[in-house]
Amino acid sequence: MLRVAAASLTGTAIEFYDFFAYGTAAALVLGPLYFPTVSPLVGSLAAFGTFGVGFLARPIGSVIFGHLGDRRGRRPVLILSLLLTGVATVAVGLVPTYDRIGLAAPCLLLLLRFLQGLGLGGEWGGAVLLTAEHAPARRRALWSSFTQLGPPLGFLLANGLTLALSATLTDAQFLSWGWRVPFWFAGVLAVGGLLLRGRLAETPQFEELAARDDRATLPFAELLRDHWRLVLLTAGGLSVAYAVYYTITTWSLAYATERLGVDRTVMLGCIMAAIVVSGAVTPHFALLADRWGRRSMCLAGCAGMALWSVPMVALLHTGRPEWIVPGFMVGAVCFTAVVAVIAAYLPELYEPRVRCTGATFGYNLAGVLGGAVTPLVATAAARGEGTPWALAGYLAAFALVSLGCFALLPETRPAAADAGPVTEGAEGAPA
């Protein structure tokens, strides 16, 4: 079980490293390098627009890779998604800037970001199901949380490398070639991940499905026909975690450096401190979910985000790292209460024959709702000189909507005395 969990963690860390490397570049350099003919504000919006395209591609990737996972197995999804994302990420680091090839530069960037999103759209579901379908029921949330450690590790690796380059290179060197290094390094990580994942076995639950030929012919069509309400509720519930996460990790970097005058290196350090906290509390929240329930943790996280949105934005606007760091840390604890348990919760909600498609599509649709639009909304809401209270209100309202979605979902935690799988999911099917 430890080997399976480690492989899932490593793979998601690599894939999210690829995705986050682009987010950091979008906040720091893509505007002036690829959209130099517009104002700084419009350039930031355009850069975040290409960032958002990756989120729009993720549900499409979840349909494609979800079909593969429900028809052919969870293991092939892990190999192909990692290969696609790795190649696209290395290619981003090779795209010439606008002053060299003109309009073709942002167009290529857009295409590669779309391919990144396709790959990541399949990655999460394959990795989560590989762990969840191997794990013992009473510790499913804990073992599945290893997958959720991948995003913070990927973020820390991507931003740690960017931080080191930012601190050691001049601004001219960083703009010229330094920002590309994290994208080239993705190729090395992808090769290592492929070697590790190539040794994994298929999950017992899928082998059982295949043996009795109970696989869905068209998983996505069946999902929309029989489980559409569940898809909407899971996507709506999880979306606020994306909104808060990308407010902290992506938008705040551009806002603090461009508007508040915070040093780029200092701001990267503030963000990384919050993500360290997120990774540290993830297994603790997972243990609580195994004891008290998945839904309970999600409700608590949404309530915390609704209450903390205003203080977090106010602390950020001070421009002082000693206030920004605690503001971000509390926000990180709140969204982690949701994301730490979702790797167990979503697979338990969907029946096995459409589980890869359902869990992956719901997860990535939440990314569109909460992650793709938030940096754009936040940038527009912060155009004035004062504290961006409109952004705080947006995040609080988002949290309340997500809380309502989770309130309408059932609890799936197995009974403490039950050593077998969950007996019934949200749709009355084996989970």
Side-chain angles (χ1 to χ4, degrees), residues 152-153 155-157 159-160 163 245 248-249 252-253 264-282 320-333 335-336:
L153 287 176
F155 179 89
L156 291 172
L157 184 58
N159 284 270
L163 179 61
Y245 188 91
I248 292 174
T249 61
S252 72
L253 183 57
R264 178 177 62 208
T265 303
V266 171
M267 194 60 198
L268 282 169
C270 293
I271 295 169
M272 290 175 67
I275 302 307
V276 168
V277 170
S278 173
V281 299
T282 292
R320 299 174 61 179
E322 64 268 29
W323 292 113
I324 295 173
V325 170
F328 281 1
M329 282 183 171
V330 176
V333 169
F335 72 67
T336 304

Side-chain angles (χ1 to χ4, degrees), residues 47-266:
F48 284 137
T50 62
F51 175 75
V53 165
F55 284 99
L56 296 178
R58 284 170 63 170
I60 300 173
S62 69
V63 174
I64 296 171
F65 285 102
H67 181 92
L68 177 65
D70 284 323
R71 290 292 303 164
R72 301 297 180 186
R74 320 319 190 190
R75 185 175 174 273
V77 172
L78 300 176
I79 305 298
L80 294 177
S81 62
L82 182 58
L83 181 63
L84 175 60
T85 307
V87 170
T89 303
V90 172
V92 169
L94 301 174
V95 175
T97 53
Y98 186 92
D99 61 351
R100 290 175 178 263
I101 60 173
L103 189 60
C107 290
L108 284 172
L109 211 59
L110 202 67
L111 173 62
L112 293 171
R113 180 61 174 174
F114 184 84
L115 294 177
Q116 259 195 336
L118 281 183
L120 191 59
E123 160 64 27
W124 187 84
V128 161
L129 264 62
L130 183 77
T131 307
E133 292 186 346
H134 274 101
R138 285 183 290 181
R139 284 291 178 265
R140 187 176 291 138
L142 177 61
W143 284 112
S144 298
S145 72
F146 276 70
T147 306
Q148 297 302 80
L149 288 173
L153 287 176
F155 179 89
L156 291 172
L157 184 58
N159 284 270
L161 183 53
T162 302
L163 179 61
L165 291 165
S166 178
T168 56
L169 300 177
T170 66
D171 285 346
Q173 289 172 326
F174 187 79
L175 283 172
S176 175
W177 58 269
W179 70 271
R180 297 180 183 273
V181 174
F183 293 94
W184 300 336
F185 185 59
V188 178
L189 296 176
V191 171
L194 290 171
L195 291 174
L196 180 62
R197 287 187 163 184
R199 304 171 184 173
L200 297 176
E202 188 53 75
T203 72
Q205 289 193 27
F206 180 80
E207 289 181 341
E208 182 182 341
L209 278 176
R212 63 175 194 261
D213 198 21
D214 192 29
R215 293 166 292 178
T217 304
L218 294 172
F220 187 63
E222 185 172 321
L223 181 75
L224 295 184
R225 184 188 69 227
D226 299 334
H227 310 288
W228 61 269
R229 179 176 178 271
L230 180 58
V231 169
L232 294 178
L233 289 176
T234 53
L238 185 58
S239 60
V240 69
Y242 276 102
V244 176
Y245 188 91
Y246 285 103
T247 296
I248 292 174
T249 61
T250 301
W251 171 79
S252 72
L253 183 57
Y255 178 75
T257 55
E258 295 172 8
R259 293 283 303 280
L260 304 179
V262 181
D263 180 77
R264 178 177 62 208
T265 303
V266 171

Side-chain angles (χ1 to χ4, degrees), residues 136-140 289-294 348 411-424 431:
R138 285 183 290 181
R139 284 291 178 265
R140 187 176 291 138
D290 276 326
R291 183 172 182 179
W292 301 111
R294 291 77 158 110
E348 290 171 348
E411 179 55 68
T412 61
R413 181 183 69 90
D418 182 12
V422 180
T423 56
E424 196 164 84

